[in-house]
Amino acid sequence: MAGIEHIKVEPDEDGMRLDRWFKVHFPGLGFGQLQKLMRSGQVRVDGGRVKTDARVQPGQMVRVPPLDVDAKGPRNGPIAGKELKHSGDAELLARMLLHEDDKVYVLNKPAGLAVQGGSGVSRHIDKMLEAWTSQKGEKPRLVHRLDRDTSGVLVVARTRGAAQKLTAAFRERDTKKTYWSLVKGVPRKHEDKISTWLVKETTPDGDRMRIAKHGEEGADHAVSYYRVVETAAQRLAWLEMEPYTGRTHQLRIHALHIGHPIIGDPKYFEDDPNWDFPGGVQKRLHLHARHIDIPHPNGGRLRVTAPLPPHMVQTWNLLGFDEASAGEPDDE
């Protein structure tokens, strides 16, 4: 059992409820235990008594009394930016782990961490997976991708056979991927299908996608579906999005195509002098791979949901969005 600790609230934790903050830092601490500690004044923030629903702010110091919980093993919960640079590969992967069995890992990829290497990429999941090489010398394999700035569900195969089956499921579109996004404005249609042709072009800022002209060489057909879950003063909308096809930047370019780019998108969000970026919302991509439903290599279906990243939790809190409004799919 450790002694009294004073833990500083990180920038990524801004606006987080105190009970959620404790769940992240001390996953073994029960809610009833936490309430008892707070009622007796043993938990304090900047020296003062607080309630479990208090919102923490960066720089605040949380007093944590000795806790009779198992502190062994990796921490759970959101991964701060500095941890992406300084934590070991195995530790970070364990922090991301949502599901594990003999054939599959499912990770909750943090925003800002690349899935594969490329120019200017010093750390990426494909390389990190070497830390989980099996005793037989088999390194886990990627079977699909997420953009670097997109967070959420990432499926990884543990064996060659599992990789073949999972890759086939993606190729044959026998998977259902659900994303949550925050977009500028509110689409006129509450739900709709978006169908376009996309083509990749090279720009000084790197590759980006654009809507292709009719019959343009090299273009790929892309289909997405969306529905509006909640809105904020007709200025912002929370969309649930499903890509039927799996093209590069598909949801991001489709959101732009319908006139409602995703908030914080560094490539596709276009500044508008007549529209003010909402205060308190971080200028980071608000796109999260929330849920996946995929055939399991052993049979049956694997269904996994990933918690929102800290910057989106902060925005949802700010706008008063209730995660339950989307209607959660059933997990495994």
Side-chain angles (χ1 to χ4, degrees):
M1 189 186 298
I4 294 173
E5 295 183 84
H6 289 85
I7 302 176
K8 187 176 181 180
V9 176
E10 299 291 340
D12 282 351
E13 299 168 336
D14 187 17
M16 190 180 287
R17 278 175 53 127
L18 188 59
D19 52 0
R20 188 189 293 262
W21 184 92
F22 265 91
K23 189 68 177 172
V24 167
H25 289 265
F26 301 96
L29 182 67
F31 184 69
Q33 292 173 277
L34 175 61
Q35 284 187 311
K36 186 175 180 181
L37 292 170
M38 300 191 76
R39 281 197 302 269
S40 61
Q42 295 183 68
V43 169
R44 295 177 180 248
V45 176
D46 284 349
R49 290 189 178 221
V50 283
K51 295 183 177 180
T52 52
D53 61 356
R55 306 279 182 183
V56 296
Q57 297 176 345
Q60 288 183 323
M61 300 299 293
V62 181
R63 180 192 188 273
V64 181
L67 300 175
D68 189 16
V69 296
D70 186 4
K72 295 178 182 177
R75 280 176 48 198
N76 293 325
I79 298 172
K82 65 180 183 182
E83 292 175 302
L84 288 180
K85 295 180 180 177
H86 302 302
S87 297
D89 289 347
E91 178 190 350
L92 272 183
L93 289 170
R95 291 274 303 280
M96 298 178 209
L97 193 62
L98 295 171
H99 169 90
E100 175 186 8
D101 59 47
D102 63 335
K103 296 294 175 61
V104 182
Y105 292 123
V106 182
L107 306 177
N108 183 15
K109 186 188 85 66
L113 178 61
V115 173
Q116 287 184 299
S119 59
V121 175
S122 57
R123 192 173 204 184
H124 55 87
I125 287 178
D126 192 30
K127 176 72 173 173
M128 293 167 66
L129 286 169
E130 292 177 2
W132 277 0
T133 299
S134 71
Q135 291 181 336
K136 297 178 181 178
E138 196 165 25
K139 174 195 158 191
R141 294 167 170 84
L142 297 170
V143 293
H144 69 127
R145 313 284 182 267
L146 289 177
D147 294 343
R148 181 174 184 166
D149 293 322
T150 302
S151 58
V153 174
L154 184 70
V155 178
V156 177
R158 296 187 65 169
T159 67
R160 181 185 299 276
Q164 291 172 341
K165 291 181 179 179
L166 292 167
T167 300
F170 281 102
R171 185 176 60 247
E172 295 161 10
R173 296 178 186 143
D174 189 17
T175 63
K176 183 177 180 182
K177 294 176 286 183
T178 304
Y179 289 72
W180 283 4
S181 67
L182 183 73
V183 301
K184 172 186 171 184
V186 179
R188 184 173 54 84
K189 293 185 177 180
H190 182 78
E191 52 186 284
D192 203 6
K193 172 184 177 181
I194 307 168
S195 177
T196 67
W197 290 80
L198 302 181
V199 67
K200 184 181 290 186
E201 62 180 3
T202 302
T203 72
D205 297 324
D207 289 344
R208 58 178 284 154
M209 305 300 289
R210 64 170 171 79
I211 304 298
K213 301 180 179 66
H214 182 70
E216 186 169 349
E217 186 178 350
D220 291 311
H221 191 214
V223 177
S224 305
Y225 298 87
Y226 77 84
R227 72 178 180 96
V228 177
V229 181
E230 287 194 33
T231 63
Q234 293 300 303
R235 295 185 65 238
L236 298 163
W238 163 13
L239 301 188
E240 184 176 86
M241 308 183 77
E242 291 181 12
Y244 177 70
T245 52
R247 312 303 180 198
T248 302
H249 299 172
Q250 176 175 318
L251 296 180
R252 297 162 66 179
I253 191 68
H254 273 174
L256 174 65
H257 176 64
I258 63 171
H260 301 283
I262 297 174
I263 295 298
D265 192 328
K267 283 184 180 286
Y268 301 105
F269 189 91
E270 298 171 346
D271 289 329
D272 181 349
N274 299 315
W275 192 85
D276 293 325
F277 198 90
V281 174
Q282 295 185 42
K283 288 193 175 183
R284 302 181 65 184
L285 181 67
H286 282 61
L287 179 63
H288 176 68
R290 175 67 172 177
H291 184 80
I292 196 160
D293 179 337
I294 187 170
H296 193 284
N298 290 342
R301 308 281 301 186
L302 176 63
R303 300 177 179 91
V304 183
T305 298
L308 287 173
H311 71 281
M312 289 181 68
V313 170
Q314 180 184 340
T315 299
W316 262 232
N317 288 338
L318 180 74
L319 299 177
F321 288 163
D322 181 358
E323 292 184 23
S325 298
E328 288 301 307
D330 294 328
D331 277 0
E332 49 176 333

